[in-house]
Amino acid sequence: MFFAVLQLIGGVILSFGWIPQIVQIVKTKSVKDLNKKTFWLLLAGISLMEVYAVSLAVDGVGYAFLITNSMSLILILIIIGLMFKYKKS
Amino acid sequence: MFFAVLQLIGGVILSFGWIPQIVQIVKTKSVKDLNKKTFWLLLAGISLMEVYAVSLAVDGVGYAFLITNSMSLILILIIIGLMFKYKKS
C-alpha cells in the first residue's frame, strides 16, 4: 500500500512535470533543442501504457493509473503539437 | 498477460526514447529549450517509481519494471548532467 502510494505520487509528478516545459515553449516559441524522435517515442510508450491502464480500469483494479497516464498522454500531445507549430521550416 | 506485455513494451520504449535526446544534446551542445523544472520533476517522479519498482522486485513480482525504470532513471540523470554542462551561465 505504502509503495503503491509512492507510485501514484510518482505518476502525478511525472504527468504534471511536463507543464513547465509547455509553458516555456509557449513563452519562447523555440523547440529546436527538443528531440522529435524522443517525443514520438514517449508518445508511443505512453500510448501502450494507456491500453494497459484502460485494461486495469476495466478489470476494476482502479482508475489512478488511467488518470495520471491520460494526463501524461495529453501533455505530450500538446508538446508535440507545439513542436510542429514552432519548428523552423 | 497481453496487457502486461504492452506495459512492458511501453516501458522499454519510454526508457530508450530518451537516447535520441541525449545524442542531440551531445551533438548540438545546446539545452536552452529544455525546461530544467520539468527534468527535475521527471527525476523526482521516476525516483519514486523506482522505490515502488524495488518493492515489486523484493516481493518477487518481477524485475521487468525495475529494469526499465532504472534505465529511465539513468538516462534522465545523464540529461540533467548534460543540461548543467551545457547551460549558458
Side-chain angles (χ1 to χ4, degrees):
Chain A
M1 180 62 193
F2 169 69
F3 294 113
V5 171
L6 285 189
Q7 183 202 22
L8 179 60
I9 299 173
V12 171
I13 293 175
L14 282 174
S15 305
F16 286 86
W18 291 110
I19 293 177
Q21 180 68 69
I22 293 173
V23 171
Q24 175 170 340
I25 297 174
V26 171
K27 275 188 188 159
T28 64
K29 301 187 186 352
S30 174
V31 292
K32 74 171 177 48
D33 296 333
L34 299 173
N35 185 275
K36 270 186 291 295
K37 211 177 281 174
T38 286
F39 280 87
W40 283 119
L41 288 169
L42 292 179
L43 179 65
I46 295 170
S47 299
L48 287 174
M49 290 287 189
E50 188 74 357
V51 179
Y52 174 70
V54 169
S55 83
L56 288 184
V58 168
D59 286 351
V61 178
Y63 290 90
F65 185 51
L66 183 60
I67 293 168
T68 59
N69 202 68
S70 301
M71 187 77 193
S72 296
L73 194 59
I74 292 165
L75 294 173
I76 290 289
L77 279 170
I78 291 173
I79 291 177
I80 290 178
L82 290 169
M83 288 171 77
F84 271 98
K85 184 169 178 195
Y86 293 125
K87 76 171 174 186
K88 300 279 182 289
S89 49
Chain B
M1 179 63 191
F2 169 68
F3 294 113
V5 171
L6 286 189
Q7 183 202 24
L8 178 61
I9 299 172
V12 171
I13 294 175
L14 281 174
S15 305
F16 285 88
W18 291 109
I19 294 177
Q21 180 68 68
I22 292 174
V23 171
Q24 176 169 339
I25 297 173
V26 170
K27 274 188 189 160
T28 64
K29 300 188 186 357
S30 174
V31 293
K32 75 171 177 47
D33 296 333
L34 300 173
N35 185 275
K36 271 187 290 294
K37 211 176 282 173
T38 286
F39 281 87
W40 284 118
L41 288 169
L42 292 179
L43 179 65
I46 295 171
S47 299
L48 288 174
M49 290 287 190
E50 188 74 357
V51 178
Y52 174 69
V54 170
S55 82
L56 288 184
V58 169
D59 286 351
V61 177
Y63 289 91
F65 185 52
L66 183 60
I67 293 169
T68 60
N69 202 68
S70 301
M71 187 77 192
S72 296
L73 193 60
I74 292 166
L75 293 173
I76 290 290
L77 279 170
I78 291 173
I79 292 177
I80 291 178
L82 290 169
M83 287 171 78
F84 271 97
K85 184 168 177 194
Y86 293 125
K87 76 169 175 189
K88 301 278 181 291
S89 49

